[in-house]
Amino acid sequence: MWSTARSGGPEHRVLRRQDWQEDGLRQVLEEMKALYEQNQSDVNEAKSSGRGDLIPTIKFRHCSLLRNQRCIVAYLYDRLLRIRALRWEYGSVLPSALRFHMSAEEMDWFNRYKKSLATYMRSLGGDEGLDITQDMKPPKSLYIEVRCLKDYGEFEVEDGTSVLLKKNSQHFLPRWKCEQLIRQGILEHVLS
Amino acid sequence: MAEEADLLGQDSDGDSEEVVLTPAELIDRLEQAWMNEKFAPELLENKSEIVECVMEQLEHMEENLKRAKKGDLKVSIHQMEMERIRFVLSSYLRCRLMKIEKFFPHILEKEKTRREEEPSILSPEEFVFAKEFLANTETYLKDTALKHMPPNLQKVDLMRTVPKPDLDAYVFLRVKERQENILVEPESDEQRVPFLFQGLRDRPGGGLTALDPIQNRRTPGCFWGHTANLKPEITTREMRPWDLRRHIFGNPACHPVPRTAAISTVPWVPGPWRSAQSIPLTCPQLCHSSQNQQMMLPLC
C-alpha cells in the first residue's frame, strides 16, 4: 500500500502481488472522511463568521484529500494492471493460490476482462477466431524437446497418436501443442 | 513464397476490391504494419483488411496441408511458415491491444471527436473492446473506493490520470525508396533535428547521399532520411520533427527499424545541420555500419 498523507504505511512499492490491503484502504478512506468533515465545518464557519484565516487550512486539507484519492486510485489501477497480466500469463483459469490475493471486485473485473478479450479474439476471423494469447515467442522450430515435470496423463498429438506424460519423461512434440502446457508448468522446454 | 502460391493452387487474390496482392506482398505488408505498430509510441491506423486477408490465407494453407501427403518435406516447411505468420499476426494484434489498454481514455476521446470522413484508428471490434475496458475499470474503481469517498471526490478524470502516449519518443528509421518532395520550414531553434544530415555530400545529378564507402553499390537515392532529392540550398533548412512523423508512419517508403548494436554506439551530436559540402565524417561509426544507415530522430 502506498503511504498516505499522514498515516504511516509501507513506503516501498511491492513488486510481487500482495494481499488485498483491505485494512490499509479502509484507513485511508476513514482519514479522508475525517478530513472532509473537518473541512466542511471550517468552510461553514468561514462563510458564516468571515474568518479568512481558516482558508489556508481548508486548502491544505483539500490538497491532502486529493493526494489520498490519487494514491488510492494509483494503487488500485496498478493492481488491475497486474491482474490483467495474469490473464495473459496463466490463461483463463487462475491458480487458486492467486485467487486468495484478490478481492471480490477484482475477480469481477477479471471475469469481465476475460469475457471482453474472448469476444474480441473470436471476432478476428475464421470460425473460431485467433487465440492471440498463444504464440508469445517467435517459433524457432516445429517440434521441441520437452520434459514432463508433473504427471499429466494421456496427451493426444495431431496425427492421432497419444503420448503418456509421466514425470521426468522426455518427448519430442509439436511446439504449438506444448505451449499451453509449458505455460502451466506441466512441461519444460529442454534446451540442449 | 512461390511455393506457397503453388500449394495454394490459386491465383493471387487479396480481399480488397481495389488491389490484388500476391501472398508475398500481403505478408510483407503485414510485417510492415507489425514493425510500425511495435515501434510507434501511439496507436496507428488499423489494418483490418490485412488481418482478414492473412487469416484467410492461413485457413487456405491449413486446408491444403490437410490434403497433402504425409511425410512430405513441403508439409513441414509450410507448417513452419504458417507458424511464423501466425506469430507475426498475433504479435501485431497483441501490440495494438496493449496500446488500447494503456491509453484507453485518450483513444476513446479521439474516437469520439473525430469527424465523419476521417477513418477510424480502431476496428469495430477493438472499439467495443476499448469501451468495455473503460466501463469495466470505471465500475471497479467506483465500487472499490470512489463511492466511499467524500462527495466532491467521487469522480476521477481518467483523461488526466492515465498518461498520454509519449510522442517525443525517439525512433529509428530507414528509407526504402527514393523520396521526392519532402521538406519543411524550420520554426525554431529547439526543433532542429540534430544528427540527421551529418556527413552528406552532393551527388552528381543532384540529391544527397551519405558518406559511406560501403554503401556505394546500393542504388542511388536509397538514403537514410527523407531528403534524398534535396537541392543543396534547401538542405540548409532543418526539418521539423512532426513532419517527419507523418512521413515515417504513414509512408510505405520508410519504416522504423529496431536499434542495432552499431547504433547504440553512435554519439549524439547536437547542433544545426551543416550545408551540403564534402565534409569528413566526424563519427566513424556511421561510416562503417554494414546495414542501411540508420538515424535517430525525435518525433513530436
mmCIF file of all heavy atoms in Angstrom, chain A residues 117-155:
data_model
loop_
_atom_site.group_PDB
_atom_site.id
_atom_site.type_symbol
_atom_site.label_atom_id
_atom_site.label_comp_id
_atom_site.label_asym_id
_atom_site.label_seq_id
_atom_site.Cartn_x
_atom_site.Cartn_y
_atom_site.Cartn_z
ATOM 1 N N LEU A 117 -12.057 -9.970 -23.744
ATOM 2 C CA LEU A 117 -10.938 -10.429 -24.558
ATOM 3 C C LEU A 117 -11.357 -11.598 -25.430
ATOM 4 O O LEU A 117 -10.998 -11.680 -26.612
ATOM 5 C CB LEU A 117 -9.783 -10.835 -23.641
ATOM 6 C CG LEU A 117 -8.474 -11.210 -24.308
ATOM 7 C CD1 LEU A 117 -7.911 -10.045 -25.065
ATOM 8 C CD2 LEU A 117 -7.474 -11.683 -23.284
ATOM 9 N N ALA A 118 -12.147 -12.526 -24.853
ATOM 10 C CA ALA A 118 -12.575 -13.693 -25.628
ATOM 11 C C ALA A 118 -13.460 -13.273 -26.792
ATOM 12 O O ALA A 118 -13.333 -13.800 -27.905
ATOM 13 C CB ALA A 118 -13.310 -14.664 -24.717
ATOM 14 N N THR A 119 -14.353 -12.311 -26.539
ATOM 15 C CA THR A 119 -15.211 -11.834 -27.633
ATOM 16 C C THR A 119 -14.366 -11.235 -28.745
ATOM 17 O O THR A 119 -14.603 -11.474 -29.926
ATOM 18 C CB THR A 119 -16.168 -10.741 -27.127
ATOM 19 O OG1 THR A 119 -16.661 -11.105 -25.863
ATOM 20 C CG2 THR A 119 -17.298 -10.516 -28.094
ATOM 21 N N TYR A 120 -13.356 -10.452 -28.351
ATOM 22 C CA TYR A 120 -12.501 -9.837 -29.364
ATOM 23 C C TYR A 120 -11.758 -10.888 -30.170
ATOM 24 O O TYR A 120 -11.697 -10.823 -31.395
ATOM 25 C CB TYR A 120 -11.510 -8.888 -28.694
ATOM 26 C CG TYR A 120 -10.495 -8.326 -29.650
ATOM 27 C CD1 TYR A 120 -10.855 -7.372 -30.585
ATOM 28 C CD2 TYR A 120 -9.182 -8.769 -29.640
ATOM 29 C CE1 TYR A 120 -9.930 -6.870 -31.486
ATOM 30 C CE2 TYR A 120 -8.262 -8.270 -30.532
ATOM 31 C CZ TYR A 120 -8.635 -7.326 -31.447
ATOM 32 O OH TYR A 120 -7.717 -6.847 -32.334
ATOM 33 N N MET A 121 -11.202 -11.886 -29.481
ATOM 34 C CA MET A 121 -10.411 -12.889 -30.187
ATOM 35 C C MET A 121 -11.290 -13.707 -31.129
ATOM 36 O O MET A 121 -10.872 -14.092 -32.215
ATOM 37 C CB MET A 121 -9.692 -13.811 -29.197
ATOM 38 C CG MET A 121 -8.656 -13.070 -28.410
ATOM 39 S SD MET A 121 -7.382 -14.081 -27.666
ATOM 40 C CE MET A 121 -8.273 -14.900 -26.391
ATOM 41 N N ARG A 122 -12.524 -13.942 -30.715
ATOM 42 C CA ARG A 122 -13.393 -14.753 -31.570
ATOM 43 C C ARG A 122 -13.781 -14.008 -32.825
ATOM 44 O O ARG A 122 -14.050 -14.604 -33.853
ATOM 45 C CB ARG A 122 -14.665 -15.134 -30.799
ATOM 46 C CG ARG A 122 -15.020 -16.586 -30.974
ATOM 47 C CD ARG A 122 -16.347 -16.943 -30.382
ATOM 48 N NE ARG A 122 -16.868 -15.996 -29.442
ATOM 49 C CZ ARG A 122 -16.807 -16.134 -28.123
ATOM 50 N NH1 ARG A 122 -16.215 -17.189 -27.607
ATOM 51 N NH2 ARG A 122 -17.324 -15.226 -27.332
ATOM 52 N N SER A 123 -13.789 -12.682 -32.723
ATOM 53 C CA SER A 123 -14.237 -11.909 -33.875
ATOM 54 C C SER A 123 -13.151 -11.727 -34.908
ATOM 55 O O SER A 123 -13.345 -11.077 -35.915
ATOM 56 C CB SER A 123 -14.675 -10.526 -33.402
ATOM 57 O OG SER A 123 -13.517 -9.786 -33.085
ATOM 58 N N LEU A 124 -11.958 -12.263 -34.645
ATOM 59 C CA LEU A 124 -10.839 -11.956 -35.522
ATOM 60 C C LEU A 124 -10.890 -12.607 -36.879
ATOM 61 O O LEU A 124 -10.091 -12.317 -37.730
ATOM 62 C CB LEU A 124 -9.521 -12.339 -34.837
ATOM 63 C CG LEU A 124 -9.093 -11.334 -33.809
ATOM 64 C CD1 LEU A 124 -7.891 -11.843 -33.064
ATOM 65 C CD2 LEU A 124 -8.750 -10.028 -34.463
ATOM 66 N N GLY A 125 -11.798 -13.506 -37.096
ATOM 67 C CA GLY A 125 -11.858 -14.059 -38.439
ATOM 68 C C GLY A 125 -11.796 -15.560 -38.390
ATOM 69 O O GLY A 125 -11.241 -16.139 -37.474
ATOM 70 N N GLY A 126 -12.372 -16.176 -39.362
ATOM 71 C CA GLY A 126 -12.416 -17.628 -39.365
ATOM 72 C C GLY A 126 -13.513 -18.092 -38.430
ATOM 73 O O GLY A 126 -14.274 -17.301 -37.897
ATOM 74 N N ASP A 127 -13.577 -19.379 -38.228
ATOM 75 C CA ASP A 127 -14.672 -19.892 -37.388
ATOM 76 C C ASP A 127 -14.462 -19.576 -35.926
ATOM 77 O O ASP A 127 -15.380 -19.161 -35.231
ATOM 78 C CB ASP A 127 -14.780 -21.415 -37.540
ATOM 79 C CG ASP A 127 -15.061 -21.785 -38.962
ATOM 80 O OD1 ASP A 127 -15.855 -21.072 -39.574
ATOM 81 O OD2 ASP A 127 -14.486 -22.775 -39.444
ATOM 82 N N GLU A 128 -13.242 -19.828 -35.457
ATOM 83 C CA GLU A 128 -13.060 -19.643 -34.022
ATOM 84 C C GLU A 128 -12.219 -18.428 -33.713
ATOM 85 O O GLU A 128 -11.856 -18.222 -32.576
ATOM 86 C CB GLU A 128 -12.364 -20.858 -33.413
ATOM 87 C CG GLU A 128 -13.016 -22.154 -33.779
ATOM 88 C CD GLU A 128 -11.964 -23.239 -33.947
ATOM 89 O OE1 GLU A 128 -10.760 -22.931 -33.788
ATOM 90 O OE2 GLU A 128 -12.343 -24.358 -34.247
ATOM 91 N N GLY A 129 -11.867 -17.675 -34.712
ATOM 92 C CA GLY A 129 -11.019 -16.536 -34.415
ATOM 93 C C GLY A 129 -9.591 -16.974 -34.189
ATOM 94 O O GLY A 129 -9.197 -18.087 -34.482
ATOM 95 N N LEU A 130 -8.813 -16.102 -33.647
ATOM 96 C CA LEU A 130 -7.390 -16.353 -33.453
ATOM 97 C C LEU A 130 -7.074 -16.153 -31.983
ATOM 98 O O LEU A 130 -7.402 -15.118 -31.409
ATOM 99 C CB LEU A 130 -6.597 -15.374 -34.302
ATOM 100 C CG LEU A 130 -5.084 -15.488 -34.230
ATOM 101 C CD1 LEU A 130 -4.629 -16.786 -34.846
ATOM 102 C CD2 LEU A 130 -4.443 -14.331 -34.939
ATOM 103 N N ASP A 131 -6.441 -17.135 -31.381
ATOM 104 C CA ASP A 131 -6.109 -17.001 -29.972
ATOM 105 C C ASP A 131 -4.785 -16.272 -29.857
ATOM 106 O O ASP A 131 -3.721 -16.864 -30.049
ATOM 107 C CB ASP A 131 -6.002 -18.396 -29.336
ATOM 108 C CG ASP A 131 -5.792 -18.307 -27.842
ATOM 109 O OD1 ASP A 131 -5.738 -17.179 -27.303
ATOM 110 O OD2 ASP A 131 -5.665 -19.351 -27.202
ATOM 111 N N ILE A 132 -4.844 -14.988 -29.580
ATOM 112 C CA ILE A 132 -3.594 -14.251 -29.589
ATOM 113 C C ILE A 132 -2.828 -14.369 -28.287
ATOM 114 O O ILE A 132 -1.750 -13.807 -28.144
ATOM 115 C CB ILE A 132 -3.795 -12.762 -29.951
ATOM 116 C CG1 ILE A 132 -4.852 -12.135 -29.063
ATOM 117 C CG2 ILE A 132 -4.163 -12.618 -31.384
ATOM 118 C CD1 ILE A 132 -5.077 -10.696 -29.416
ATOM 119 N N THR A 133 -3.377 -15.118 -27.319
ATOM 120 C CA THR A 133 -2.571 -15.333 -26.127
ATOM 121 C C THR A 133 -1.584 -16.469 -26.334
ATOM 122 O O THR A 133 -0.748 -16.722 -25.477
ATOM 123 C CB THR A 133 -3.443 -15.652 -24.908
ATOM 124 O OG1 THR A 133 -4.178 -16.829 -25.191
ATOM 125 C CG2 THR A 133 -4.393 -14.531 -24.626
ATOM 126 N N GLN A 134 -1.705 -17.150 -27.472
ATOM 127 C CA GLN A 134 -0.686 -18.145 -27.814
ATOM 128 C C GLN A 134 0.396 -17.460 -28.625
ATOM 129 O O GLN A 134 0.307 -16.281 -28.904
ATOM 130 C CB GLN A 134 -1.319 -19.245 -28.686
ATOM 131 C CG GLN A 134 -2.509 -19.894 -28.078
ATOM 132 C CD GLN A 134 -2.112 -20.824 -26.982
ATOM 133 O OE1 GLN A 134 -0.977 -21.286 -26.956
ATOM 134 N NE2 GLN A 134 -3.004 -21.086 -26.083
ATOM 135 N N ASP A 135 1.370 -18.211 -29.032
ATOM 136 C CA ASP A 135 2.431 -17.689 -29.911
ATOM 137 C C ASP A 135 3.078 -16.453 -29.339
ATOM 138 O O ASP A 135 3.173 -15.437 -30.004
ATOM 139 C CB ASP A 135 1.879 -17.321 -31.303
ATOM 140 C CG ASP A 135 1.272 -18.498 -32.002
ATOM 141 O OD1 ASP A 135 1.930 -19.551 -32.026
ATOM 142 O OD2 ASP A 135 0.156 -18.372 -32.498
ATOM 143 N N MET A 136 3.498 -16.512 -28.101
ATOM 144 C CA MET A 136 4.104 -15.332 -27.499
ATOM 145 C C MET A 136 5.526 -15.126 -27.965
ATOM 146 O O MET A 136 6.031 -14.023 -27.923
ATOM 147 C CB MET A 136 4.115 -15.453 -25.966
ATOM 148 C CG MET A 136 2.767 -15.451 -25.367
ATOM 149 S SD MET A 136 1.936 -13.891 -25.663
ATOM 150 C CE MET A 136 1.812 -13.287 -24.036
ATOM 151 N N LYS A 137 6.180 -16.201 -28.376
ATOM 152 C CA LYS A 137 7.565 -16.041 -28.831
ATOM 153 C C LYS A 137 7.670 -16.499 -30.275
ATOM 154 O O LYS A 137 6.924 -17.354 -30.713
ATOM 155 C CB LYS A 137 8.496 -16.920 -27.989
ATOM 156 C CG LYS A 137 8.557 -16.556 -26.552
ATOM 157 C CD LYS A 137 9.978 -16.759 -26.028
ATOM 158 C CE LYS A 137 10.119 -16.381 -24.597
ATOM 159 N NZ LYS A 137 9.645 -17.427 -23.692
ATOM 160 N N PRO A 138 8.630 -15.944 -31.010
ATOM 161 C CA PRO A 138 8.778 -16.380 -32.392
ATOM 162 C C PRO A 138 9.137 -17.860 -32.444
ATOM 163 O O PRO A 138 9.951 -18.326 -31.656
ATOM 164 C CB PRO A 138 9.953 -15.550 -32.925
ATOM 165 C CG PRO A 138 10.236 -14.550 -31.921
ATOM 166 C CD PRO A 138 9.598 -14.933 -30.632
ATOM 167 N N PRO A 139 8.507 -18.591 -33.347
ATOM 168 C CA PRO A 139 8.754 -20.032 -33.377
ATOM 169 C C PRO A 139 10.122 -20.339 -33.961
ATOM 170 O O PRO A 139 10.476 -19.836 -35.019
ATOM 171 C CB PRO A 139 7.647 -20.545 -34.296
ATOM 172 C CG PRO A 139 7.270 -19.393 -35.140
ATOM 173 C CD PRO A 139 7.533 -18.171 -34.348
ATOM 174 N N LYS A 140 10.901 -21.142 -33.259
ATOM 175 C CA LYS A 140 12.223 -21.469 -33.783
ATOM 176 C C LYS A 140 12.179 -22.784 -34.550
ATOM 177 O O LYS A 140 12.932 -23.005 -35.458
ATOM 178 C CB LYS A 140 13.218 -21.618 -32.626
ATOM 179 C CG LYS A 140 13.507 -20.333 -31.919
ATOM 180 C CD LYS A 140 14.662 -19.637 -32.604
ATOM 181 C CE LYS A 140 15.351 -18.614 -31.790
ATOM 182 N NZ LYS A 140 14.810 -17.474 -31.362
ATOM 183 N N SER A 141 11.304 -23.675 -34.149
ATOM 184 C CA SER A 141 11.249 -24.956 -34.846
ATOM 185 C C SER A 141 9.870 -25.542 -34.644
ATOM 186 O O SER A 141 9.133 -25.147 -33.758
ATOM 187 C CB SER A 141 12.295 -25.913 -34.305
ATOM 188 O OG SER A 141 12.051 -26.116 -32.948
ATOM 189 N N LEU A 142 9.547 -26.498 -35.487
ATOM 190 C CA LEU A 142 8.216 -27.094 -35.420
ATOM 191 C C LEU A 142 8.045 -27.984 -34.206
ATOM 192 O O LEU A 142 7.017 -27.997 -33.569
ATOM 193 C CB LEU A 142 7.972 -27.947 -36.665
ATOM 194 C CG LEU A 142 7.277 -27.271 -37.833
ATOM 195 C CD1 LEU A 142 7.030 -28.289 -38.918
ATOM 196 C CD2 LEU A 142 5.966 -26.676 -37.385
ATOM 197 N N TYR A 143 9.073 -28.778 -33.956
ATOM 198 C CA TYR A 143 8.986 -29.734 -32.853
ATOM 199 C C TYR A 143 9.988 -29.347 -31.789
ATOM 200 O O TYR A 143 11.075 -28.889 -32.091
ATOM 201 C CB TYR A 143 9.307 -31.142 -33.359
ATOM 202 C CG TYR A 143 8.166 -31.757 -34.112
ATOM 203 C CD1 TYR A 143 7.913 -31.388 -35.417
ATOM 204 C CD2 TYR A 143 7.342 -32.698 -33.517
ATOM 205 C CE1 TYR A 143 6.870 -31.942 -36.113
ATOM 206 C CE2 TYR A 143 6.290 -33.261 -34.210
ATOM 207 C CZ TYR A 143 6.054 -32.876 -35.497
ATOM 208 O OH TYR A 143 5.019 -33.417 -36.187
ATOM 209 N N ILE A 144 9.624 -29.531 -30.535
ATOM 210 C CA ILE A 144 10.589 -29.227 -29.479
ATOM 211 C C ILE A 144 10.689 -30.386 -28.512
ATOM 212 O O ILE A 144 9.765 -31.179 -28.355
ATOM 213 C CB ILE A 144 10.209 -27.955 -28.685
ATOM 214 C CG1 ILE A 144 8.776 -28.038 -28.179
ATOM 215 C CG2 ILE A 144 10.422 -26.728 -29.513
ATOM 216 C CD1 ILE A 144 8.437 -26.921 -27.244
ATOM 217 N N GLU A 145 11.820 -30.413 -27.867
ATOM 218 C CA GLU A 145 12.078 -31.429 -26.870
ATOM 219 C C GLU A 145 11.527 -30.918 -25.548
ATOM 220 O O GLU A 145 11.867 -29.821 -25.111
ATOM 221 C CB GLU A 145 13.604 -31.613 -26.780
ATOM 222 C CG GLU A 145 14.057 -32.711 -25.881
ATOM 223 C CD GLU A 145 14.024 -34.066 -26.562
ATOM 224 O OE1 GLU A 145 14.073 -34.079 -27.807
ATOM 225 O OE2 GLU A 145 13.935 -35.069 -25.862
ATOM 226 N N VAL A 146 10.670 -31.704 -24.936
ATOM 227 C CA VAL A 146 10.127 -31.266 -23.642
ATOM 228 C C VAL A 146 10.298 -32.358 -22.608
ATOM 229 O O VAL A 146 10.309 -33.546 -22.934
ATOM 230 C CB VAL A 146 8.620 -30.919 -23.729
ATOM 231 C CG1 VAL A 146 8.413 -29.629 -24.457
ATOM 232 C CG2 VAL A 146 7.839 -32.031 -24.391
ATOM 233 N N ARG A 147 10.414 -31.914 -21.392
ATOM 234 C CA ARG A 147 10.454 -32.854 -20.275
ATOM 235 C C ARG A 147 9.234 -32.608 -19.407
ATOM 236 O O ARG A 147 8.848 -31.464 -19.163
ATOM 237 C CB ARG A 147 11.719 -32.649 -19.444
ATOM 238 C CG ARG A 147 11.877 -33.687 -18.347
ATOM 239 C CD ARG A 147 13.074 -33.425 -17.485
ATOM 240 N NE ARG A 147 14.284 -33.449 -18.245
ATOM 241 C CZ ARG A 147 15.203 -32.486 -18.239
ATOM 242 N NH1 ARG A 147 15.014 -31.410 -17.502
ATOM 243 N NH2 ARG A 147 16.288 -32.584 -18.963
ATOM 244 N N CYS A 148 8.686 -33.693 -18.926
ATOM 245 C CA CYS A 148 7.458 -33.574 -18.149
ATOM 246 C C CYS A 148 7.809 -33.332 -16.686
ATOM 247 O O CYS A 148 8.607 -34.052 -16.105
ATOM 248 C CB CYS A 148 6.695 -34.890 -18.302
ATOM 249 S SG CYS A 148 4.989 -34.700 -17.919
ATOM 250 N N LEU A 149 7.200 -32.314 -16.091
ATOM 251 C CA LEU A 149 7.514 -32.022 -14.702
ATOM 252 C C LEU A 149 6.529 -32.654 -13.735
ATOM 253 O O LEU A 149 6.840 -32.890 -12.587
ATOM 254 C CB LEU A 149 7.514 -30.500 -14.491
ATOM 255 C CG LEU A 149 8.589 -29.748 -15.251
ATOM 256 C CD1 LEU A 149 8.397 -28.258 -15.052
ATOM 257 C CD2 LEU A 149 9.968 -30.154 -14.775
ATOM 258 N N LYS A 150 5.308 -32.823 -14.221
ATOM 259 C CA LYS A 150 4.321 -33.448 -13.339
ATOM 260 C C LYS A 150 3.602 -34.511 -14.144
ATOM 261 O O LYS A 150 3.581 -34.473 -15.349
ATOM 262 C CB LYS A 150 3.276 -32.413 -12.899
ATOM 263 C CG LYS A 150 3.820 -31.239 -12.184
ATOM 264 C CD LYS A 150 2.680 -30.330 -11.800
ATOM 265 C CE LYS A 150 3.222 -28.912 -11.647
ATOM 266 N NZ LYS A 150 2.256 -27.889 -11.747
ATOM 267 N N ASP A 151 2.951 -35.380 -13.433
ATOM 268 C CA ASP A 151 2.134 -36.383 -14.117
ATOM 269 C C ASP A 151 0.938 -35.701 -14.744
ATOM 270 O O ASP A 151 0.204 -34.974 -14.089
ATOM 271 C CB ASP A 151 1.633 -37.419 -13.098
ATOM 272 C CG ASP A 151 2.628 -38.543 -12.981
ATOM 273 O OD1 ASP A 151 3.303 -38.835 -13.984
ATOM 274 O OD2 ASP A 151 2.735 -39.116 -11.888
ATOM 275 N N TYR A 152 0.738 -35.986 -16.015
ATOM 276 C CA TYR A 152 -0.402 -35.348 -16.670
ATOM 277 C C TYR A 152 -1.362 -36.375 -17.232
ATOM 278 O O TYR A 152 -2.572 -36.199 -17.216
ATOM 279 C CB TYR A 152 0.108 -34.415 -17.770
ATOM 280 C CG TYR A 152 -0.958 -33.636 -18.471
ATOM 281 C CD1 TYR A 152 -1.630 -32.613 -17.817
ATOM 282 C CD2 TYR A 152 -1.304 -33.912 -19.796
ATOM 283 C CE1 TYR A 152 -2.606 -31.888 -18.467
ATOM 284 C CE2 TYR A 152 -2.283 -33.188 -20.431
ATOM 285 C CZ TYR A 152 -2.926 -32.182 -19.769
ATOM 286 O OH TYR A 152 -3.896 -31.453 -20.398
ATOM 287 N N GLY A 153 -0.809 -37.452 -17.757
ATOM 288 C CA GLY A 153 -1.702 -38.455 -18.311
ATOM 289 C C GLY A 153 -1.540 -38.523 -19.814
ATOM 290 O O GLY A 153 -0.487 -38.243 -20.359
ATOM 291 N N GLU A 154 -2.604 -38.922 -20.460
ATOM 292 C CA GLU A 154 -2.546 -39.088 -21.905
ATOM 293 C C GLU A 154 -2.622 -37.737 -22.576
ATOM 294 O O GLU A 154 -3.387 -36.878 -22.178
ATOM 295 C CB GLU A 154 -3.739 -39.930 -22.371
ATOM 296 C CG GLU A 154 -3.730 -41.352 -21.869
ATOM 297 C CD GLU A 154 -2.857 -42.220 -22.742
ATOM 298 O OE1 GLU A 154 -2.864 -42.051 -23.963
ATOM 299 O OE2 GLU A 154 -2.151 -43.076 -22.179
ATOM 300 N N PHE A 155 -1.861 -37.623 -23.639
ATOM 301 C CA PHE A 155 -1.863 -36.370 -24.372
ATOM 302 C C PHE A 155 -1.896 -36.711 -25.845
ATOM 303 O O PHE A 155 -1.032 -37.427 -26.346
ATOM 304 C CB PHE A 155 -0.588 -35.589 -24.026
ATOM 305 C CG PHE A 155 -0.519 -34.240 -24.643
ATOM 306 C CD1 PHE A 155 -1.504 -33.303 -24.415
ATOM 307 C CD2 PHE A 155 0.542 -33.889 -25.461
ATOM 308 C CE1 PHE A 155 -1.445 -32.052 -24.990
ATOM 309 C CE2 PHE A 155 0.612 -32.640 -26.036
ATOM 310 C CZ PHE A 155 -0.386 -31.723 -25.791
#
